Amino acid sequence: MTDTAMDIETVQTGEAQVKDYFALMKPRVMSLVVLTAAIGMFAAPGGVHPVIALATILCIAIGAGASGALNMWWDADIDAVMKRTANRPLPSGVVEPGEALGIGVALSIMSVLMLSIFGNIFSAVFLAFTIFFYVVIYSMWLKRSTPQNIVIGGAAGAFPPMIGWAVATGGISLESLLMFALIFLWTPPHFWALAIFRNEDYVKAGVPMLPVVAGDRATRNQILIYTLLLFPVAMVLAFTSVGGPVYFAVALAYNARFLWGAWSIWKRDEATATADKFKTELRVFLESIGYLFALFIALGIEIMLRALDLSWSGWPVLF
C-alpha cells in the first residue's frame, strides 16, 4: 500500500537503531495490511487453526514490511526532496541504501517461503506477486511515469484480504473480490486529497501526480467520481456472506461522511483552497485514514457475532 502518513519526526543523526529499521518497513501501512488480511482470512468459510492463522498473518506482515523497505530504497532520491518524506531512514542518512535493499530482499524471500509452508502455494504466489507489483510495477514504473500511478498501483494495497482469503480456501471468491474493490476504489480519493495539499512536493520531486499533470480541478473531479463509485461497492459487501447489519450501519455512516468530504473538495475553487492552506483537503485526507479501519473492524465484529451465534439470521444475503 502507498504510504500516506504525515512525517512529523525530526531529522535523525548517528547510527541506526531498531526503531529506524522498523520505520523502514512502513509500520502504519503494515498495520492496515495485517488488519485487512486477517479479516479476509477469518471471514472465509472453513476456518483456520489459530496457530496457522498467527503464522500466516506474520508472513503477510513481513511481506508488507519487505515491500516498504524496497520502496524506500528505490525512492530515496525523491524522498530526500519532499518535505513529507525527508525524515525517512534513508534520506536522513540513518540507514544505508544497501542495508534497505538487503533487508527488503531477505524479508521478501522469507515471507513467501514461510507462507508456502504455513499457508498454501497459491497464497504464497499471491504474496510474491503483490510484493513484485508494489515494488516493480508501482514504485519503479508507474509512480514516475503516469498520473494514474495511484489508480493502478493501488491494487497492491488491495490484495491483502484476497491473500488472507486464499490462505483459508486456496482460492478467491466474490467476497474477497469486493474487499479488494473496497480498498482499490478508496485509494485514489484518499491519496489525491493529500496530493492536492502536497502538490509542491511532487512538483519538486518530478513525480507526475494527477494535480501536477492535470491540475487541481481535474483532481477534484476524480476524487468525487471515485468516491461515488466506492459507495455502492462498500454497501454491496453488507449483503454478502461476510456482511451484516453492524457492517451496514458503519459502512453507511462512513461512506456518507467520505462522500460529503469529496463533495466539499469538489465544490472548492483554487483561490479559496490556497487562502485557507487546503484545510478541507487535509481534513478529508486525515478522516479517510480511518475509513478502511472502521469498515474492516465492522467486518471483524460480524465474524465474531457469527462465531458466537449472535448474528441476525434474518439479514438478507443477496450476493
Side-chain angles (χ1 to χ4, degrees):
M1 290 187 180
T2 52
D3 180 20
T4 56
M6 306 296 290
D7 191 351
I8 58 174
E9 297 178 0
T10 55
V11 176
Q12 305 173 63
T13 58
E15 294 186 1
Q17 301 176 18
V18 173
K19 65 183 179 66
D20 299 311
Y21 292 113
F22 187 56
L24 191 67
M25 296 186 287
K26 298 188 175 182
R28 295 181 183 91
V29 174
M30 191 191 298
S31 64
L32 186 57
V33 168
V34 168
L35 173 65
T36 58
I39 295 302
M41 179 169 54
F42 290 122
V48 179
H49 189 280
V51 174
I52 298 298
L54 181 61
T56 55
I57 290 171
L58 179 61
C59 294
I60 295 169
I62 292 172
S67 299
L70 291 171
N71 171 266
M72 285 203 189
W73 163 72
W74 182 259
D75 279 350
D77 58 331
I78 61 176
D79 283 349
V81 300
M82 293 172 58
K83 186 181 299 184
R84 181 175 67 87
T85 56
N87 295 331
R88 285 177 172 176
L90 268 71
S92 65
V94 177
V95 176
E96 294 296 322
E99 290 182 290
L101 176 60
I103 289 170
V105 171
L107 292 181
S108 296
I109 295 171
M110 182 191 306
S111 64
V112 172
L113 289 178
M114 286 175 60
L115 191 58
S116 69
I117 296 170
F118 292 110
N120 52 61
I121 296 299
F122 180 75
S123 61
V125 172
F126 209 157
L127 178 60
F129 174 74
T130 301
I131 296 171
F132 173 81
F133 194 97
Y134 183 68
V135 175
V136 178
I137 303 299
Y138 169 68
S139 300
M140 295 184 178
W141 176 31
L142 296 173
K143 186 171 183 177
R144 306 188 191 212
S145 63
T146 172
Q148 295 300 309
N149 46 21
I150 290 302
V151 177
I152 306 169
F159 286 136
M162 296 186 70
I163 297 174
W165 190 280
V167 167
T169 67
I172 60 177
S173 69
L174 174 62
E175 291 87 349
S176 67
L177 286 171
L178 284 171
M179 285 186 274
F180 167 89
L182 182 66
I183 302 172
F184 182 78
L185 292 172
W186 164 87
T187 302
H190 162 74
F191 201 90
W192 281 334
L194 175 67
I196 292 175
F197 174 69
R198 289 294 194 184
N199 190 40
E200 291 183 5
D201 262 2
Y202 294 111
V203 171
K204 274 197 305 182
V207 177
M209 293 298 293
L210 190 61
V212 176
V213 175
D216 282 2
R217 172 42 53 196
T219 306
R220 294 175 192 280
N221 292 342
Q222 290 297 308
I223 287 173
L224 182 58
I225 289 170
Y226 272 90
T227 308
L228 286 168
L229 293 173
L230 174 64
F231 199 121
V233 170
M235 301 315 298
V236 164
L237 193 56
F239 300 101
T240 66
S241 65
V242 302
V246 173
Y247 172 81
F248 177 84
V250 172
L252 184 62
Y254 272 83
N255 275 279
R257 180 66 178 174
F258 200 2
L259 187 55
W260 175 254
W263 172 260
S264 300
I265 289 176
W266 179 81
K267 68 181 183 180
R268 281 160 62 84
D269 58 65
E270 301 317 306
T272 303
T274 303
D276 67 10
K277 298 181 180 180
F278 302 96
K279 181 179 178 180
T280 298
E281 290 76 10
L282 179 59
R283 174 182 59 79
V284 173
F285 163 73
L286 293 173
E287 289 178 354
S288 69
I289 293 173
Y291 175 92
L292 284 184
F293 282 101
L295 267 64
F296 275 88
I297 288 172
L299 287 175
I301 292 172
E302 295 288 1
I303 293 168
M304 289 189 291
L305 290 175
R306 279 191 289 273
L308 297 171
D309 200 24
L310 295 175
S311 59
W312 182 21
S313 60
W315 184 256
V317 176
L318 305 177
F319 302 95

